[in-house]
Amino acid sequence: MTKIDGLIPAIVQDFYTGRVLMLAYVNQESYDYMQKNGETCFWSRSRGELWHKGATSGDVQKIKHMAFDCDNDTLLIQVEQTGKGACHTGRYSCFDSEDVSSENVNSENGQFYILDKVYAQIKDRAQNPQESSYTNYLLSKGVDKICKKVGEEAAETIIASKNNSKPELSEEASDLIYHLLVLLYNQGVPLGDIRATLEGRYHK
């Protein structure tokens, strides 16, 4: 087992999208915890104690892969991020900021991270219902209603494509994807399963 001398920085990256989520510090104790439990754990320099990421918020990070750099003084941790995201502000990544344009945020590796955010919001609505929430309405009606909406949105997406209207197609496809995400949540299928399936097919 690798021995860590003091504190070293750990870069946490979304295993599926490649987006950098956060930077924290790891010592031998936190590293051993991660090896044993499979979820990220860091050393809090301000509190002087172990910090199991997501222990309070529920937004735990399930470790998919860990690797040291060539000098063994920086750790890369690739994770499946659960819940709303990695940042205590509620953002998906600690490196997301309101003054960064959507064009820049949505480029390169993380262009579809919005799907994670929408799925996380659906989960949050299920756990913390809000009055007049359309998502709560769908979830309360159950799988038959959700499937009906998926079918309706699929038909409208087809019509939009036949109309050769890119704006209309974008709107209808977005509606379809949203309702499909609600269906996935209703059926207990995490986005990670979809990514894994697509990844497997991509390499065939």
Side-chain angles (χ1 to χ4, degrees):
M1 182 180 294
T2 301
K3 296 298 180 182
I4 297 175
D5 183 16
L7 286 176
I8 65 170
I11 301 167
V12 183
Q13 179 186 40
D14 189 303
F15 178 78
Y16 299 104
T17 68
R19 281 189 63 80
V20 175
L21 299 178
M22 58 181 288
L23 182 143
Y25 288 85
V26 171
N27 63 4
Q28 190 65 50
E29 187 178 2
S30 59
Y31 180 72
D32 291 344
Y33 179 99
M34 290 191 287
Q35 289 276 53
K36 179 180 179 181
N37 296 285
E39 294 181 352
T40 58
C41 181
F42 310 107
W43 181 258
S44 172
R45 295 176 296 169
S46 60
R47 299 193 303 269
E49 61 183 12
L50 286 181
W51 164 35
H52 175 203
K53 176 66 176 173
T56 301
S57 66
D59 303 335
V60 298
Q61 297 171 334
K62 299 179 180 180
I63 298 172
K64 307 293 288 186
H65 179 70
M66 291 197 296
F68 288 93
D69 72 343
C70 56
D71 294 320
N72 285 331
D73 58 10
T74 302
L75 181 64
L76 174 65
I77 310 174
Q78 295 178 310
V79 303
E80 177 184 343
Q81 176 67 57
T82 68
K84 294 181 179 179
C87 188
H88 72 281
T89 64
R91 296 188 178 112
Y92 168 74
S93 166
C94 292
F95 297 95
D96 289 345
S97 61
E98 294 178 351
D99 60 348
V100 176
S101 70
S102 60
E103 179 181 357
N104 291 331
V105 170
N106 292 332
S107 64
E108 301 184 9
N109 292 328
Q111 62 264 40
F112 293 120
Y113 85 101
I114 186 61
L115 298 183
D116 295 276
K117 295 178 69 173
V118 173
Y119 191 91
Q121 186 179 63
I122 293 168
K123 179 180 179 181
D124 183 66
R125 288 290 188 272
Q127 297 175 346
N128 305 287
Q130 294 188 11
E131 188 176 353
S132 302
S133 166
Y134 179 63
T135 298
N136 284 135
Y137 165 76
L138 286 176
L139 293 174
S140 70
K141 293 298 182 180
V143 65
D144 288 343
K145 178 64 174 180
I146 299 170
C147 286
K148 181 180 178 182
K149 289 300 298 182
V150 170
E152 291 175 356
E153 298 301 341
E156 291 176 6
T157 300
I158 292 171
I159 293 171
S161 64
K162 295 293 287 184
N163 290 339
N164 292 318
S165 172
K166 291 183 179 179
E168 183 184 355
L169 179 57
S170 178
E171 289 288 335
E172 298 301 343
S174 296
D175 288 343
L176 174 59
I177 291 171
Y178 161 75
H179 286 89
L180 184 57
L181 289 175
V182 174
L183 179 61
L184 290 174
Y185 177 80
N186 175 265
Q187 295 296 295
V189 179
L191 279 181
D193 287 2
I194 306 302
R195 294 191 191 96
T197 300
L198 291 173
E199 183 71 17
R201 292 177 179 177
Y202 174 80
H203 291 295
K204 288 184 178 179

